Amino acid sequence: MNKRIRSILVFSLSLLSLLISLKLFWNMGIFVDEYGLSPDIVNGGDFWLLMDWLRLGLLFLVCIISGISIFKSYDE
């Protein structure tokens, strides 16, 4: 039961991190649209824009993997 609680905790924290990152990314898109800028200018270059996308992708993968681990049967 202890591993299951840990899995649920990891899933909920990773989901919360993903939602916060998505909201910040969405707000950056609104800012870029309103002021006529580009996302790479706001992020500080193409490399950091790519890292922003990579962070969203990795958080999504962590959510998927931790979500699957919740339903995995543990042999205790």
Short mmCIF file of all heavy atoms in Angstrom, two decimals, residues 30 48 50 52 63 65 68 70 76:
data_model
loop_
_atom_site.label_atom_id
_atom_site.label_comp_id
_atom_site.label_asym_id
_atom_site.label_seq_id
_atom_site.Cartn_x
_atom_site.Cartn_y
_atom_site.Cartn_z
N ILE A 30 -0.21 34.43 -25.07
CA ILE A 30 -1.10 35.60 -25.08
C ILE A 30 -0.27 36.89 -25.10
O ILE A 30 -0.56 37.82 -25.85
CB ILE A 30 -2.05 35.56 -23.86
CG1 ILE A 30 -3.03 34.41 -24.03
CG2 ILE A 30 -2.78 36.89 -23.70
CD1 ILE A 30 -3.89 34.16 -22.80
N TRP A 48 16.28 28.26 -25.76
CA TRP A 48 15.43 28.26 -24.56
C TRP A 48 13.97 28.00 -24.91
O TRP A 48 13.23 27.45 -24.09
CB TRP A 48 15.61 29.55 -23.77
CG TRP A 48 16.98 29.59 -23.19
CD1 TRP A 48 17.97 30.43 -23.54
CD2 TRP A 48 17.51 28.71 -22.20
NE1 TRP A 48 19.11 30.14 -22.82
CE2 TRP A 48 18.85 29.09 -21.98
CE3 TRP A 48 16.99 27.65 -21.47
CZ2 TRP A 48 19.67 28.45 -21.08
CZ3 TRP A 48 17.82 27.00 -20.57
CH2 TRP A 48 19.13 27.41 -20.38
N LEU A 50 13.16 25.92 -27.28
CA LEU A 50 13.19 24.47 -27.43
C LEU A 50 13.19 23.79 -26.06
O LEU A 50 12.51 22.77 -25.86
CB LEU A 50 14.43 24.04 -28.22
CG LEU A 50 14.61 22.55 -28.45
CD1 LEU A 50 13.50 22.01 -29.32
CD2 LEU A 50 15.96 22.28 -29.08
N ASP A 52 11.84 24.97 -23.39
CA ASP A 52 10.49 25.13 -22.86
C ASP A 52 9.56 24.04 -23.39
O ASP A 52 8.80 23.42 -22.64
CB ASP A 52 9.95 26.51 -23.24
CG ASP A 52 8.93 27.05 -22.27
OD1 ASP A 52 8.68 26.40 -21.24
OD2 ASP A 52 8.39 28.13 -22.54
N CYS A 63 3.91 12.28 -16.35
CA CYS A 63 2.51 12.08 -15.96
C CYS A 63 1.99 10.75 -16.50
O CYS A 63 1.30 10.01 -15.79
CB CYS A 63 1.64 13.21 -16.49
SG CYS A 63 1.75 14.70 -15.54
N ILE A 65 3.77 8.00 -17.35
CA ILE A 65 4.45 6.88 -16.70
C ILE A 65 3.99 6.72 -15.26
O ILE A 65 3.73 5.61 -14.80
CB ILE A 65 5.98 7.07 -16.78
CG1 ILE A 65 6.44 6.93 -18.23
CG2 ILE A 65 6.70 6.07 -15.90
CD1 ILE A 65 7.87 7.34 -18.48
N ILE A 68 0.45 5.30 -15.19
CA ILE A 68 0.43 3.85 -15.45
C ILE A 68 0.88 3.09 -14.20
O ILE A 68 0.33 2.04 -13.88
CB ILE A 68 1.32 3.51 -16.66
CG1 ILE A 68 0.67 4.04 -17.93
CG2 ILE A 68 1.58 2.03 -16.77
CD1 ILE A 68 1.55 3.94 -19.17
N ILE A 70 0.34 3.73 -11.20
CA ILE A 70 -0.72 3.67 -10.17
C ILE A 70 -1.51 2.37 -10.32
O ILE A 70 -1.86 1.73 -9.34
CB ILE A 70 -1.64 4.90 -10.28
CG1 ILE A 70 -0.91 6.15 -9.84
CG2 ILE A 70 -2.89 4.71 -9.42
CD1 ILE A 70 -1.68 7.42 -10.05
N GLU A 76 3.40 -7.61 -2.80
CA GLU A 76 3.96 -7.36 -1.47
C GLU A 76 3.81 -8.54 -0.59
O GLU A 76 2.98 -9.33 -0.64
CB GLU A 76 3.26 -6.15 -0.84
CG GLU A 76 3.61 -4.88 -1.56
CD GLU A 76 2.99 -3.67 -0.89
OE1 GLU A 76 2.70 -3.71 0.33
OE2 GLU A 76 2.79 -2.68 -1.56
#
